[in-house]
């Protein structure tokens, strides 16, 4: 069977989560760093699997950028720890990286990409009617009920 | 007027309005579809607000700030994922579940499993996972509701040993009335009220926290300079191992994909095209709610550092201490009402889902069908609520334990199935069953093991800071992918309508 993009994305998630299981069994500083990067990457890969990546190549790049950003945050946090003066937006640098990198940026990036890639026509009344028609032909129980 | 009068008044008003919504919804609930998925007629704002309030239990308002007082910024790794989880939910599962609901009569999560894999055993196994997780969660919420009511009304001094059972009985009566009479319709519209309260309180309390501590920079400056908290408090990893901080991030970022009380809301949306606005509404609302956690979680230690209050005897006292000492009486009343709201909004979602598992999903797994699901659903709601509350009261420690790791149990058991299984056509029913069983057994087994101190039993072989739930969730994902790759049997062809719905979701 020819490999599809979803096959590759799912395989990557399998490998990533398997590595997480391994790091949690091994323990130690190196394993913890690998786990941190994997934990930041896992939601990104799941978005890549769930999103329409075949039609929007730019999305892959945006997600890859976000992934890199998150991993960089995970690594940078360790370097910046210990500086307590509120220097960035009234926060110590490490905290700023954490808040901006893991909270604020993912919100704007994920919502923006999601809304850009959402095709309302594709799930409009005509498409839904076609789905219900297919279900009716199969005699599916409860199928074909129009939304109230 | 004293703070106590405001708090009691707000709580009574809230409970009365909730009962009113239950009565209104009961008059509009005529079929099983109304009872389980609110007639699939909700608008996007109502769906998003109801999802938001169901997602946040009382933990977000009480336990969360306490955990931040205890662990520092590490605890905030639990709430940071709310920035992206709504988009992830919609992308991975939301659109697919809603479109499956267009071609099959899908009222529950196991219904969706049955529609995708056409396997009764797998759907039944998912119903068992739903039941185990939801009853544990529900018991924990009912116990928390009792504790919150007795605190609000000050019954502990008045009623002594009878205080908790009396408070639980009052909470039970209110939830029982509106869930039994109005089903999911009542649950959703009370969730909207509850979500609105939580939003207002999140913003107001955050502003008050900044005002009380001298502003954002002064608050963080006093924490960094204090001997009691110091720089480690503001360090993203704090004093905890990295495994704990990023374990929180992983579990609460990805585990959301397996929470039935969130996934269930997608079936209720009237127009799938409106899903475009769901992430911005849900994430936006969650971020505003989380401000309460962030505000109190940082302000209380800052107030301790500034010498305005003494160190807390118990971290969970952070929210009550801040509200009773610094909030205007009206705001304190509103926040205590919203704490009740947060607990009840989670409880009502779970009781409907657990009832559906009993009267719809499990009988169907055995090839049976209940004749009147509406009537049976109402009875099941009564029985489940009474049972969960009774067990919670009788075995408080056990149920608190179940409540604590129910989120993890549901996430580990169901997240891989929906996050990967709906998008990847090669996933067979055998992989889904293996993944659900792995998540369920590992999470329950390891969690119980970690709490045992039997002679001869070795300690849990996991390094310090590793969350059992993170381990189970990762293992469950890995098992789903591994079994899919190893199972070489030809895959059954999907019915054209199901295949078309899943394909449409990728557009």
């Amino acid at each position: 069977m020819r490999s599809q993009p979803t096959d590759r994305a799912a395989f990557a998630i399998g490998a990533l989560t398997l590595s997480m299981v391994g790091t949690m069994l091994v323990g130690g500083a190196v394993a913890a760093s690998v786990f941190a990067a994997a934990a930041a990457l896992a939601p990104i890969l799941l978005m890549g699997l769930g999103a329409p990546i075949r039609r929007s190549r730019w999305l892959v790049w945006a997600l890859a950028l976000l992934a890199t950003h998150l991993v960089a945050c995970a690594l940078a946090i360790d370097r910046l720890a210990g500086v307590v003066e509120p220097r960035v937006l009234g926060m110590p640098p490490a905290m700023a990286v954490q808040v901006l990198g893991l909270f604020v940026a993912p919100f704007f990036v994920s919502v923006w990409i999601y809304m850009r890639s959402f095709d309302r026509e594709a799930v409009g009344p005509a498409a839904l009617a076609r789905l219900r028609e297919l279900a009716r032909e199969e005699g599916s129980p409860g199928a074909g009920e129009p939304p109230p | 007027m004293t703070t106590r009068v405001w708090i009691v008044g707000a709580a009574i008003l809230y409970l009365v309005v909730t009962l009113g919504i239950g009565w209104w919804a009961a008059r509009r609930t005529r079929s099983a579809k109304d009872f389980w998925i609110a007639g699939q007629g909700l608008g996007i704002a109502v769906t998003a607000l109801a999802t938001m309030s169901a997602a946040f239990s009382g933990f977000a308002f009480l336990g969360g700030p306490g955990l931040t007082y205890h662990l520092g910024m590490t605890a905030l790794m639990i709430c940071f994922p709310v920035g992206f989880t709504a988009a992830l939910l919609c992308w991975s599962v939301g659109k697919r579940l809603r479109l499956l609901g267009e071609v099959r009569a899908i009222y529950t999560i196991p219904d969706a499993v049955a529609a995708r894999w056409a396997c009764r055993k797998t759907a039944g196994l998912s119903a068992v996972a739903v039941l185990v997780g939801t009853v544990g969660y529900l018991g924990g919420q009912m116990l928390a509701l009792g504790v919150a009511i007795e605190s609000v009304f000050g019954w502990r001094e008045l009623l002594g040993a009878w205080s908790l059972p009396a408070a639980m009985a009052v909470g039970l009566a209110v939830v029982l009335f509106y869930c039994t009479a109005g089903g999911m319709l009542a649950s959703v519209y009370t969730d909207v009220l509850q979500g609105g309260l939580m939003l207002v309180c999140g913003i107001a309390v955050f502003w008050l926290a900044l005002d009380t501590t001298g502003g954002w920079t002064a608050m963080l400056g006093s924490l960094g300079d204090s001997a009691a908290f110091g720089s480690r408090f503001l360090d993203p990893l704090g004093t905890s191992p990295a495994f704990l901080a990023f374990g929180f991030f992983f579990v609460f970022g990805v585990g959301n994909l397996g929470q039935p009380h969130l996934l269930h809301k997608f079936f209720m949306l009237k127009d799938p095209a409106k899903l475009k606005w769901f992430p911005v509404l849900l994430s936006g609302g969650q971020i505003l709610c989380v401000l309460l956690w962030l505000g109190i979680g940082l302000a209380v230690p800052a107030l301790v550092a500034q010498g305005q209050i003494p160190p807390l005897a118990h971290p969970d006292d952070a929210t009550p201490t801040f509200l009773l000492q610094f909030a205007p009486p009206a705001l304190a009343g509103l926040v205590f009402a919203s704490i009740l709201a947060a607990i009840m909004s989670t409880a009502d979602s779970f009781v409907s889902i657990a009832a559906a598992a009993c009267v719809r999903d499990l009988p169907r797994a055995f090839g049976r069908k209940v004749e009147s699901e509406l009537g049976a659903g109402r009875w099941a709601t009564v029985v489940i609520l009474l049972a969960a509350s009774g067990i919670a009261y009788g075995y408080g420690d056990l149920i608190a334990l179940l409540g604590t790791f129910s989120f993890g149990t549901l996430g580990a058991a169901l997240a891989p199935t929906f996050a990967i299984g709906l998008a990847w056509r090669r996933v067979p029913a055998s992989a889904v069953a293996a993944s659900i069983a792995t998540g369920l057994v590992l999470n329950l087994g390891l969690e119980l093991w970690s709490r045992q101190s039997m002679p001869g039993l070795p300690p849990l072989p996991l390094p310090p800071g590793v969350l059992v739930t993170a381990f189970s969730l990762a293992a469950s994902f890995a098992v789903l992918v591994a079994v899919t790759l190893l199972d070489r049997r030809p895959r059954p062809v999907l019915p054209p309508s199901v295949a078309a719905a899943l394909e449409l979701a990728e557009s």
Side-chain angles (χ1 to χ4, degrees):
Chain A
M1 191 187 290
R2 210 162 67 91
S3 171
Q4 300 288 323
T6 43
D7 291 340
R8 293 193 285 273
F11 184 76
I13 292 166
L16 189 83
T17 48
L18 193 61
S19 76
M20 292 173 85
V21 171
T23 56
M24 282 187 271
L25 285 172
V26 172
V30 175
S33 303
V34 174
F35 176 79
L41 265 171
I44 312 297
L45 279 176
L46 286 168
M47 284 188 201
L49 176 70
I53 49 176
R54 278 166 292 181
R55 296 189 187 180
S56 321
R57 191 169 289 178
W58 58 270
L59 187 65
V60 181
W61 289 105
L63 290 170
L65 274 176
L66 183 61
T68 314
H69 177 66
L70 285 175
V71 176
C73 287
L75 298 175
I77 279 166
D78 195 42
R79 301 266 175 88
L80 297 169
V83 181
V84 295
E85 293 81 21
R87 290 176 183 168
V88 186
L89 299 173
M91 292 178 270
M95 183 180 168
V97 168
Q98 185 191 24
V99 172
L100 296 176
L102 298 181
F103 188 43
V104 180
F107 168 69
F108 286 108
V109 173
S110 63
V111 166
W112 179 70
I113 297 175
Y114 175 83
M115 292 183 74
R116 279 291 304 269
S117 65
F118 194 97
D119 183 355
R120 291 184 70 181
E121 288 298 312
V123 288
L128 298 185
R130 196 181 131 259
L131 280 184
R132 288 196 292 268
E133 183 58 35
L134 276 173
R136 249 194 302 271
E137 284 169 11
E138 290 163 12
S140 158
E145 291 178 9
Chain B
M1 221 185 301
T2 65
T3 304
R4 172 66 68 188
V5 174
W6 275 98
I7 291 171
V8 171
I12 290 175
L13 183 66
Y14 163 73
L15 293 174
V16 170
V17 173
T18 303
L19 289 171
I21 292 173
W23 178 77
W24 169 84
R27 292 158 55 102
R28 282 159 181 77
T29 299
R30 297 185 186 92
S31 66
K33 189 173 180 176
D34 293 334
F35 195 76
W36 299 131
I37 57 169
Q40 202 174 68
L42 301 183
I44 187 69
V46 170
T47 310
L49 206 52
T51 309
M52 186 208 79
S53 60
F56 286 135
S57 64
F59 177 80
F61 284 11
L62 287 171
L67 199 62
T68 307
Y69 182 90
H70 181 56
L71 293 177
M73 288 299 288
T74 307
L76 293 176
M77 294 292 262
I78 293 174
C79 47
F80 284 169
V82 301
F84 66 83
T85 45
L88 178 59
L89 258 178
C90 280
W91 248 325
S92 297
V93 296
K95 202 154 74 160
R96 290 179 169 86
L97 288 178
R98 178 59 188 82
L99 291 176
L100 277 177
E102 209 63 36
V103 296
R104 293 287 184 274
I106 295 180
Y107 298 168
T108 65
I109 294 305
D111 275 351
V113 172
R116 164 66 179 84
W117 284 280
C119 174
R120 284 209 314 245
K121 283 181 191 163
T122 310
L125 191 59
S126 69
V128 171
V130 165
L131 200 58
V132 170
T134 51
V135 169
Y137 228 135
L138 185 61
Q141 295 301 311
M142 295 312 293
L143 194 60
L145 185 59
V147 172
I149 287 177
E150 69 170 347
S151 307
V152 165
F153 292 99
W155 285 355
R156 219 169 288 170
E157 299 78 19
L158 204 67
L159 299 175
W162 288 99
S163 165
L164 184 60
M168 282 181 75
V170 170
L172 175 69
V174 175
V175 178
L176 199 58
F177 172 75
Y178 77 79
C179 284
T180 310
M184 197 44 94
L185 199 61
S187 165
V188 162
Y189 280 99
T190 48
D191 284 358
V192 169
L193 165 74
Q194 291 152 354
L197 262 177
M198 288 153 71
L199 283 179
V200 171
C201 291
I203 298 166
V205 168
F206 187 68
W207 177 83
L208 181 69
L210 295 184
D211 189 53
T212 313
T213 52
W216 181 249
T217 307
M219 179 169 75
L220 297 183
S222 57
L223 278 170
D225 295 338
S226 92
F229 298 98
S231 64
R232 298 293 283 175
F233 189 87
L234 297 176
D235 183 332
L237 302 185
T239 51
S240 318
F243 275 122
L244 182 68
F246 281 94
F248 280 152
F249 189 79
F250 175 60
V251 167
F252 288 90
V254 173
N256 265 310
L257 299 171
Q259 302 303 314
H261 58 309
L262 307 184
L263 305 184
H264 199 215
K265 298 287 190 293
F266 288 109
F267 304 137
M268 302 173 198
L269 183 65
K270 185 177 179 180
D271 181 3
K274 293 284 187 338
L275 277 172
K276 178 174 183 176
W277 304 102
F278 192 82
V280 72
L281 291 171
L282 177 58
S283 267
Q286 286 184 310
I287 286 171
L288 293 179
C289 268
V290 154
L291 287 177
L292 188 144
W293 177 335
L294 187 69
I296 296 182
L298 294 177
V300 170
L303 290 166
V304 172
Q306 292 168 2
Q308 293 200 54
I309 54 173
L312 301 183
H314 196 281
D316 282 347
D317 293 337
T319 300
T321 301
F322 180 78
L323 293 175
L324 293 172
Q325 294 199 27
F326 299 97
L331 180 61
L334 209 59
V335 177
F336 275 105
S338 77
I339 290 170
L340 292 180
I343 297 169
M344 287 167 72
S345 59
T346 306
D348 61 31
S349 294
F350 276 120
V351 74
S352 293
I353 290 166
C358 289
V359 304
R360 183 177 171 90
D361 303 326
L362 287 173
R364 283 171 186 237
F366 291 100
R368 306 289 169 107
K369 196 176 171 191
V370 173
E371 279 308 313
S372 167
E373 278 190 13
L374 179 59
R378 284 185 162 135
W379 278 111
T381 302
V382 174
V383 171
I384 286 167
L385 260 175
L386 285 173
S389 304
I391 296 169
Y393 180 68
Y395 301 94
D397 290 345
L398 175 67
I399 208 73
L401 172 70
L402 277 172
T404 307
F405 67 84
S406 285
F407 181 94
T409 304
L410 290 167
L414 298 173
T417 295
F418 288 101
I420 296 184
L422 290 181
W424 194 24
R425 300 289 177 83
R426 286 179 63 183
V427 176
S430 59
V432 171
S435 167
I436 293 174
T438 301
L440 198 59
V441 172
L442 263 187
N443 202 57
L444 287 170
L446 292 180
E447 194 71 45
L448 287 173
W449 184 359
S450 71
R451 288 161 195 271
Q452 294 301 318
S453 53
M454 284 191 308
L457 187 73
L460 196 65
L462 292 176
V466 168
L467 290 169
V468 161
T469 298
F471 186 82
S472 316
L473 181 59
S476 178
F477 267 104
V479 164
L480 183 104
V481 175
V483 175
T484 301
L485 294 174
L486 292 172
D487 190 337
R488 297 285 178 182
R489 288 174 295 181
R491 307 293 190 252
V493 177
L494 286 176
S497 64
V498 172
L502 293 176
E503 198 160 312
L504 201 58
E506 291 171 14
S507 58

